């Protein structure tokens, strides 16, 4: 494989306007490219050594970069510093270790490396173009709410418990600050609730198709998965009740169900177009990824 091929291309549109930070971002692009090149080579024997080293470098470099960028934010009194730091913490402490574990468990397979690089590249591009450029005023941050650690941890535990209980599979968190980067083919369901203090909660669950298939085949045999007229109502009912169980445990006694519907994948990604949901989590299972997002609005704020 040509060592100069850049799959994930740097361009000036990624510049935030601080030379030192822009150089560090370029370097991060180049590490992701190195892992991608390796992945395209499909050299499994080499994958483990090259990828372990590249992932370690990426981790170390990201940690160093985040610390330097946070120092820069403090030095200019950036108002979004606390939330930005939480997004960095999530990438450093949750996302990279979880992906690292996934590639090791899956034997550095091309599929696992594609998941790894796709997630890191998607995260990096979205983060630089929106959150990092917001530091220098080129854009506005989309993380407009900053929920406390306690409620985020509680939601994470509840979702994991219910994935295990209702879907009968282990799950672990990939990100507590999922920003809508692309996943594989999705099925998405949305429930809405009202609270007595005048808020509306729009909750979306998005599951990758192999995960969905596994959820379905816990209940029916595999051939029936292709029978959409049978599967659709069944999956809809399962996901709807999953969301209800999670929300009842997360906000006990405080919510009234308004309605639910399947939503298109494009509408799911649109959730991230203006501002990110208050809670936006990504979980991994052995069968695929699942996103769980809660947007909170005052009833009279208009459209969710
Ligand atoms: Fe360049 Fe906020 O990371």
């Amino acid at each position: 494989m040509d060592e100069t091929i850049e799959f994930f291309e740097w361009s000036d549109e990624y510049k935030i306007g601080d030379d030192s930070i822009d150089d560090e971002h370029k370097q991060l692009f180049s590490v992701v490219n190195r892992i991608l090149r390796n992945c395209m080579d499909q050299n499994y024997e080499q994958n483990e050594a090259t990828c372990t080293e590249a992932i370690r470098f990426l981790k170390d470099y990201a940690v160093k970069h985040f610390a330097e960028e946070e120092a820069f934010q403090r030095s200019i009194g950036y108002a979004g510093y606390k939330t930005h730091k939480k997004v960095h913490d999530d990438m450093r402490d949750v996302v990279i270790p979880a992906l690292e574990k996934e590639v090791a468990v899956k034997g550095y397979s091309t599929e696992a490396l594609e998941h790894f690089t796709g997630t890191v590249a998607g995260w990096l591009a979205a983060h630089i173009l929106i959150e990092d450029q917001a530091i220098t005023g080129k854009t506005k941050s989309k993380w407009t709410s900053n929920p406390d650690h306690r409620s985020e941890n509680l939601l994470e535990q509840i979702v994991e418990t219910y994935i295990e209980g209702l879907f009968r599979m282990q799950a672990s968190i990939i990100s507590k600050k999922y920003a809508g980067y692309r996943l594989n083919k999705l099925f998405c369901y949305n429930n809405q609730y009202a609270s007595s203090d005048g808020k509306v909660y729009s909750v979306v669950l998005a599951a990758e198709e192999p995960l969905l298939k596994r959820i379905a085949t816990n209940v029916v045999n595999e051939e029936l998965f292709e029978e959409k007229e049978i599967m659709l109502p069944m999956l809809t009912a399962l996901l709807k009740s999953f969301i209800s169980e999670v929300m009842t445990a997360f906000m006990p006694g405080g919510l009234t169900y308004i309605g639910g519907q399947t939503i298109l994948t494009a509408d799911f990604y649109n959730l991230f177009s203006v501002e990110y949901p208050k809670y936006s989590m990504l979980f991994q299972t052995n069968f695929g990824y699942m996103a769980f997002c809660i947007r909170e609005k005052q009833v009279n704020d208009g459209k969710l």
Side-chain angles (χ1 to χ4, degrees):
M1 174 68 56
D2 183 346
E3 286 298 306
T4 60
I5 290 180
E6 301 281 285
F7 296 98
F8 180 42
E9 261 183 80
W10 170 267
S11 77
D12 282 353
E13 71 170 320
Y14 289 103
K15 282 188 172 179
I16 77 156
D18 178 273
D19 288 346
S20 155
I21 289 174
D22 288 335
D23 285 346
E24 289 177 10
H25 287 155
K26 263 189 224 168
Q27 185 65 31
L28 284 166
F29 269 58
S30 116
V31 187
V32 174
N33 275 313
R34 226 166 92 204
I35 304 173
L36 270 167
R37 277 195 296 271
N38 191 70
C39 171
M40 302 297 279
D41 272 345
Q42 306 204 341
N43 182 340
Y44 297 99
E45 273 188 17
Q46 210 183 45
N47 272 354
E48 180 166 353
T50 318
C51 286
T52 310
E53 194 261 320
I55 292 168
R56 189 179 305 125
F57 182 81
L58 175 72
K59 213 164 59 173
D60 293 347
Y61 198 83
V63 169
K64 176 179 165 284
H65 165 65
F66 292 160
E68 287 175 6
E69 194 183 89
E70 286 160 19
F72 173 67
Q73 292 177 39
R74 289 193 300 271
S75 76
I76 60 167
Y78 176 53
Y81 166 73
K82 270 193 180 169
T83 308
H84 199 121
K85 185 176 183 322
K86 275 178 90 173
V87 177
H88 283 172
D89 291 349
D90 181 62
M91 186 61 175
R92 187 193 59 212
D93 302 336
V94 185
V95 181
I96 295 179
L99 292 171
E100 197 180 10
K101 192 171 159 200
E102 186 189 11
V103 287
V105 167
K106 292 191 173 164
Y108 296 83
S109 66
T110 297
E111 181 211 352
L113 288 170
E114 278 173 356
H115 233 160
F116 181 94
T117 43
T119 304
V120 174
W123 185 94
L124 205 53
H127 183 75
I128 294 172
L129 283 174
I130 298 155
E131 301 308 315
D132 286 350
Q133 291 195 345
I135 304 167
T136 49
K138 283 180 125 181
T139 54
K140 261 180 85 177
S141 171
K142 288 189 188 178
W143 290 113
T144 50
S145 339
N146 187 11
D148 57 74
H149 281 299
R150 207 168 144 261
S151 62
E152 273 185 334
N153 290 344
L154 176 65
L155 182 63
E156 177 201 335
Q157 280 168 16
I158 292 170
V159 174
E160 284 173 3
T161 303
Y162 280 94
I163 290 177
E164 197 178 332
L166 293 179
F167 299 153
R168 287 179 253 153
M169 61 183 79
Q170 295 289 321
S172 58
I173 191 88
I174 280 275
S175 174
K176 291 181 193 173
K177 294 282 177 203
Y178 169 60
Y181 35 80
R182 294 298 182 265
L183 302 172
N184 293 328
K185 199 170 176 193
L186 290 173
F187 181 82
C188 312
Y189 197 81
N190 168 228
N191 269 4
Q192 299 206 7
Y193 301 88
S195 66
S196 53
D197 60 354
K199 288 182 178 142
V200 169
Y201 294 87
S202 180
V203 187
V204 176
L205 185 163
E208 288 184 333
E209 196 169 282
L211 168 57
L212 210 62
K213 186 170 182 179
R214 177 61 188 212
I215 292 170
T217 53
N218 277 334
V219 183
V220 295
N221 74 37
E222 210 158 303
E223 290 88 67
L224 266 186
F225 186 71
E226 301 309 325
E227 303 289 333
K228 297 295 175 208
E229 57 287 356
I230 299 173
M231 273 307 104
L232 204 59
M234 192 188 90
L235 286 166
T236 298
L238 281 169
L239 299 191
K240 181 177 170 179
S241 91
F242 178 90
I243 297 174
S244 287
E245 298 281 353
V246 168
M247 290 307 284
T248 305
F250 186 49
M251 302 180 73
L255 296 177
T256 305
Y257 175 71
I258 301 174
Q261 60 192 332
T262 53
I263 61 168
L264 298 172
T265 301
D267 291 332
F268 169 68
Y269 289 124
N270 273 341
L271 279 178
F272 303 87
S273 62
V274 179
E275 57 184 39
Y276 298 134
K278 179 172 183 179
Y279 298 94
S280 187
M281 299 190 176
L282 187 65
F283 296 86
Q284 70 168 342
T285 70
N286 280 343
F287 309 96
Y289 282 8
M290 187 186 105
F292 193 90
C293 308
I294 306 175
R295 190 181 290 288
E296 174 188 301
K297 287 273 185 188
Q298 283 298 325
V299 176
N300 56 7
D301 265 6
K303 200 168 170 248
L304 276 170

